[in-house]
Amino acid sequence: MLNKTMVKLMEDYRDEFILILAGYSNEMDSFLQTNPGLRSRFPFQINFPNYTMDQLLDILKMMAKERDYRLTNRALLKVEQQIEICLRNEPFTFSNARYIRNILERAIRQQAMRMMQYVHYSEDQLTILRADDFTFHK
């Protein structure tokens, strides 16, 4: 939360720096209402639309590829079904690409645990994420 000193610094140095705040629309509106002069100090507000399902799956594939992983079709389908659940149950708080990054990182850890059961494995086995590597929880 911004205190009086921070607000004074923002005013005194307004021509020398840029402050960017990011958050969900409703929460940002509530925040800007906490101080009568706060909204005028943030004259530009940009609302970014949520990614589409196809964009989220593309982000997942891109993030996996950057880490040298590939996903099976069943893994992609499982993630798509989970995203649909999130969009239905949490339409205003679904975290989009951050959620994708988090589930990918969990899947990579799960895949590493799964691979520990094998004595011998191929490079291909090390780079494929399967549906059972993706687990979802709140």
Side-chain angles (χ1 to χ4, degrees):
M1 187 58 73
L2 293 176
N3 62 32
K4 288 180 182 180
T5 303
M6 295 166 117
V7 171
K8 180 173 178 0
L9 287 171
M10 285 172 50
E11 186 63 30
D12 291 348
Y13 295 97
R14 69 182 172 273
D15 296 328
E16 297 179 33
F17 76 95
I18 295 173
L19 179 63
I20 298 173
L21 304 176
Y24 297 111
S25 297
N26 290 341
E27 287 78 2
M28 291 306 296
D29 284 341
S30 295
F31 168 70
L32 292 174
Q33 291 175 14
T34 61
N35 180 309
L38 203 50
R39 188 170 296 280
S40 67
R41 289 183 173 84
F42 296 96
F44 300 106
Q45 295 177 19
I46 302 170
N47 291 314
F48 295 98
N50 289 335
Y51 291 110
T52 66
M53 178 67 73
D54 288 340
Q55 290 170 324
L56 289 171
L57 293 175
D58 286 344
I59 289 168
L60 175 63
K61 289 183 241 180
M62 178 193 66
M63 287 180 172
K65 184 178 180 179
E66 287 174 351
R67 293 170 173 86
D68 295 322
Y69 287 94
R70 293 175 291 130
L71 292 89
T72 64
N73 288 337
R74 289 188 65 220
L76 285 170
L77 179 60
K78 185 175 182 180
V79 171
E80 182 175 358
Q81 291 168 342
Q82 180 62 27
I83 292 170
E84 287 173 355
I85 291 169
C86 290
L87 290 172
R88 186 172 47 250
N89 295 337
E90 308 169 44
F92 302 109
T93 59
F94 179 58
S95 61
N96 274 307
R98 180 178 47 218
Y99 180 79
I100 297 298
R101 184 186 66 235
N102 290 342
I103 64 171
L104 176 64
E105 289 172 354
R106 276 197 311 269
I108 290 170
R109 288 191 299 271
Q110 182 64 32
Q111 187 257 16
M113 296 299 292
R114 177 172 53 82
M115 294 308 298
M116 288 176 60
Q117 68 182 324
Y118 299 108
V119 176
H120 302 287
Y121 40 82
S122 69
E123 183 178 332
D124 206 41
Q125 288 173 302
L126 287 173
T127 61
I128 292 178
L129 297 174
R130 304 182 328 200
D132 57 340
D133 294 324
F134 287 89
T135 56
F136 307 103
H137 55 280
K138 281 285 215 187

